[in-house]
Amino acid sequence: MGFIGHGTIVTQITPSSTDAVDVYNGVPIRVFSFCINNISASSTPTATIRTNEASPTILWAGTLGTGVQGNRRIITVPIPFKADKGLEVISSIANSLSFTFVHTQTGS
């Protein structure tokens, strides 16, 4: 998972609409891991994480269940990566997903 220590930042975002929301805009960051939590027990929203560019690249997308019948309400991805232009997140249903990133800005 890489070194996580001095300079580590935890950013949590809960989109209040279905529009893309910046995690960081135009700034290179190193992501150590991220977690997505379905905070709505009655919906099955789709989460999208993508680069923050004019023509974004989707880095991860998936649907989170309600936690019943084997559906996962929380997904943790412990795969480090670098995002050269920052990140943005999208929730298919407003106020239903919480995105948490463990990261640093490049150089920290």
Side-chain angles (χ1 to χ4, degrees), residues 12-86:
Q12 188 276 325
I13 296 172
T14 303
S16 59
S17 70
T18 57
D19 297 329
V21 178
D22 292 351
V23 177
Y24 272 86
N25 182 4
V27 178
I29 65 172
R30 293 181 192 273
V31 177
F32 297 112
S33 64
F34 62 87
C35 178
I36 307 166
N37 183 13
N38 180 355
I39 56 178
S40 169
S42 62
S43 65
T44 54
T46 299
T48 304
I49 298 171
R50 65 186 194 183
T51 59
N52 196 344
E53 302 170 287
S55 296
T57 299
I58 294 175
L59 302 171
W60 189 93
T63 300
L64 282 81
T66 57
V68 296
Q69 297 179 349
N71 293 326
R72 295 196 51 145
R73 283 187 72 181
I74 299 173
I75 294 176
T76 301
V77 179
I79 301 171
F81 62 93
K82 182 177 175 186
D84 291 328
K85 302 290 184 181

